[in-house]
Amino acid sequence: MRHLPLLLLFALPSPAAADGLKAGVPGGKSPAAALVEQLGDRDFRTREAAGKKLLELGERAVSALEDGLDSPVPEVARRCEDLLAAVRHTVEADALLAPTLVELPAGGTTVQKALDSLSKQSGYTIRIEGDQAVLSQPLKLTDGKVPFWEAVLTVCAAAKLEVCNTEAALGPVDPARGLRAGNVWLCAGKGTSRFSAHKAVLIQLQPPTKDELTRSPTTHAPLMVRVFPEPKLRWHRLVEAAAVTATDAKGAAVRMALTPPPVPRLYEEELIRGGRLRALPPSGTATTTTGVMYLTAGADELADLTGVVRFTAWKDGTELAAVKLAGKETSGTADGPFGVRLSVKVVGPIANRTGETIVDVTHRWNPEFVRPDGSAVRADAVWFENVNGKAVPVLPPSGGGPGPNRFGLVFKNEAGEQLTGTASSTRIDTAESGGRAVTMVTVSYTVSGKKGQDAKPAGVTFYGNRVIEVAVPVGAKNLPLTAGTRPPTVPQSMLGD
């Protein structure tokens, strides 16, 4: 999976690069169009600075970048393709990470009332593990709308609590049933962890306990990284966490361990080479994921740490592939992400049945990263399958997305009107693509329209939920590299009796 460039997270054009950015917008061109032209400049610094500026423009640069794809200058076309992919990815990631905004009760209140208010506004249940007496503790808060995690951290700081777990939906859920309300657990704060909130994600950096230091080689200090997604975020898996810079109290650089030491896995972490981590997918409903960064020993405290955490989450209802049938075309194929392929063949009209056409569709996808989604199907469109010679309405699969079309296919005529289909035969196979197992479904549909509607299919679109990779910055100051007792990774209330 392609990683987001770090400049999207941290970097702005440097003064040196900005000097190479040519001023002026000639001929009434838009600033974005002028920057696209500079992508082909003879000076490398100018090309690089123009690319960074286009990334900063984001959606405002999309039109100019799309025009640049047809540039006769190969360098411009290539850079526009890369920048367009990066901008679109950033827009998707920003939408996915949009935080729930809440408002803290102003003035004097209690922990209980503050948490009740946050629960009511967010739809999440906020629980406290351990001593419940803290709920009656008085608080004095400042009002104003803020992201959910920032509000939680404000309450935690005032009440000496910290987040210890979250519970959310794993994978796509049925939006027709509403977002599945999740749980957020708070516990007594130890004062050694550092929390970093970024939109809908909270990241905890937790120093090792004395026991962990004893079990680890003396040359390595394990720094635990824990990710708490907002419960509304459909979590997929943690990809990696890495330190970008780390300095001790004297300003000296603290290096990442190049090779993880040979120690047993702690708290379900999976270590990889390069001083980074890849975490195991979360199990059950506890979506907090945990990993370890190993730092070289020698410092008792990190004065400053910056890093990046990458993870994947589900994005619902996206167009994965589309086949257009123009004029007399009767077949076509289109590819999409994660091995998606959609093949369509119009067999022809059904004899003695006006306005009905047989269409064979084969589409494949990697079930690890893609799930069909029927939410794009028109609400009044009725889909059927042939069961024992009778047309039976198709029901949405459990947890597989709303709408009657369980395979996420939408048929439209040349006017763009959605058509109705009956699946007369379905075959589901498992194949291999790029060394990975993929699901391949072949369906023969009878496609028809309403009375007076053109029922000739002019296009077929495959909709589904897919994962996208997100990178979020993380940072901490004055982080000790030794701590006391580790709180439980999963609250006792989640473990049952």
Side-chain angles (χ1 to χ4, degrees):
M1 192 178 294
R2 189 173 184 177
H3 289 326
L4 286 172
L6 285 180
L7 63 90
L8 287 178
L9 293 172
F10 308 113
L12 293 174
S14 64
D19 289 341
L21 190 59
K22 295 185 175 179
V25 182
K29 293 181 180 178
S30 69
L35 289 166
V36 166
E37 282 192 0
Q38 293 183 30
L39 294 176
D41 196 274
R42 297 178 65 178
D43 181 66
F44 175 76
R45 293 202 315 169
T46 297
R47 297 196 301 271
E48 288 292 289
K52 289 181 179 180
K53 190 64 177 177
L54 285 164
L55 284 175
E56 292 173 21
L57 290 175
E59 283 188 279
R60 293 172 292 170
V62 168
S63 178
L65 289 171
E66 288 176 339
D67 292 341
L69 295 174
D70 298 323
S71 173
V73 182
E75 177 74 1
V76 172
R78 181 188 66 79
R79 284 179 175 258
C80 282
E81 182 178 8
D82 290 344
L83 289 168
L84 193 58
V87 168
R88 285 174 172 164
H89 191 116
T90 301
V91 171
E92 281 189 326
D94 285 345
L96 196 71
L97 288 176
T100 300
L101 296 179
V102 294
E103 190 167 4
L104 288 166
T109 184
T110 63
V111 173
Q112 178 74 72
K113 290 180 179 179
L115 295 182
D116 287 346
S117 176
L118 295 181
S119 293
K120 184 176 181 180
Q121 294 176 72
S122 65
Y124 310 145
T125 301
I126 305 176
R127 304 173 183 271
I128 290 185
E129 285 292 312
D131 187 4
Q132 302 297 300
V134 70
L135 291 172
S136 60
Q137 179 178 323
L139 294 178
K140 190 171 184 180
L141 304 172
T142 304
D143 61 351
K145 283 204 169 184
V146 295
F148 173 75
W149 282 127
E150 289 187 21
V152 170
L153 289 181
T154 299
V155 175
C156 285
K160 296 182 179 180
L161 297 168
E162 64 182 41
V163 179
C164 55
N165 223 312
T166 60
E167 180 184 24
L170 293 179
V173 296
D174 187 344
R177 301 170 189 166
L179 289 173
R180 187 183 305 169
N183 292 309
V184 174
W185 277 270
L186 308 180
C187 52
K190 301 295 181 182
T192 54
S193 296
R194 298 294 181 267
F195 289 87
S196 176
H198 182 80
K199 299 183 178 179
V201 175
L202 180 68
I203 298 172
Q204 179 190 28
L205 296 174
Q206 197 170 34
T209 65
K210 293 180 180 179
D211 180 59
E212 289 164 350
L213 287 176
T214 300
R215 285 187 285 163
S216 298
T218 57
T219 56
H220 300 90
L223 181 63
M224 183 172 286
V225 182
R226 304 178 69 193
V227 183
F228 301 94
E230 250 194 62
K232 72 172 183 179
L233 195 151
R234 261 79 92 197
W235 183 263
H236 183 242
R237 66 182 53 168
L238 183 67
V239 176
E240 69 174 0
V244 177
T245 62
T247 57
D248 61 20
K250 296 180 181 179
V254 179
R255 295 182 294 110
M256 293 290 294
L258 296 180
T259 303
V263 295
R265 287 192 311 191
L266 309 175
Y267 306 102
E268 297 189 334
E269 301 108 9
E270 182 182 29
L271 306 178
I272 65 170
R273 289 183 295 274
R276 297 184 176 184
L277 66 95
R278 286 189 179 271
L280 298 175
S283 58
T285 57
T287 62
T288 301
T289 57
T290 303
V292 171
M293 283 191 261
Y294 275 91
L295 303 172
T296 55
D300 295 326
E301 182 178 89
L302 292 180
D304 186 69
L305 172 72
T306 64
V308 59
V309 172
R310 304 180 196 274
F311 63 89
T312 48
W314 289 95
K315 184 178 186 298
D316 298 340
T318 59
E319 181 181 309
L320 298 171
V323 171
K324 306 297 182 185
L325 303 174
K328 295 183 179 181
E329 289 182 345
T330 58
S331 64
T333 299
D335 292 329
F338 303 115
V340 166
R341 171 163 289 185
L342 174 65
S343 299
V344 178
K345 181 179 180 181
V346 178
V347 178
I350 302 177
N352 303 320
R353 293 171 64 175
T354 305
E356 295 186 352
T357 304
I358 294 293
V359 181
D360 290 341
V361 179
T362 298
H363 55 322
R364 73 181 190 196
W365 63 89
N366 185 330
E368 186 178 358
F369 303 111
V370 171
R371 298 178 186 177
D373 178 15
S375 62
V377 177
R378 192 186 66 215
D380 60 342
V382 181
W383 292 74
F384 300 91
E385 283 189 358
N386 192 305
V387 179
N388 298 326
K390 295 183 179 181
V392 178
V394 176
L395 299 176
S398 176
N405 181 6
R406 63 180 174 182
F407 295 126
L409 296 173
V410 173
F411 295 82
K412 290 187 179 181
N413 59 21
E414 285 195 9
E417 299 168 323
Q418 192 167 307
L419 303 174
T420 302
T422 302
S424 56
S425 66
T426 302
R427 188 177 76 248
I428 302 177
D429 302 303
T430 300
E432 186 175 308
S433 175
R436 291 180 176 272
V438 296
T439 299
M440 183 175 293
V441 177
T442 301
V443 188
S444 183
Y445 282 102
T446 299
V447 179
S448 60
K450 293 181 179 180
K451 186 176 181 180
Q453 188 180 44
D454 176 15
K456 181 178 181 295
V460 181
T461 304
F462 176 29
Y463 288 90
N465 304 308
R466 66 178 177 87
V467 300
I468 67 171
E469 184 176 300
V470 180
V472 298
V474 60
K477 293 184 182 296
N478 304 320
L479 178 65
L481 289 184
T482 57
T485 305
R486 175 83 67 209
T489 300
V490 180
Q492 290 298 317
S493 59
M494 293 183 64
L495 299 177
D497 298 328

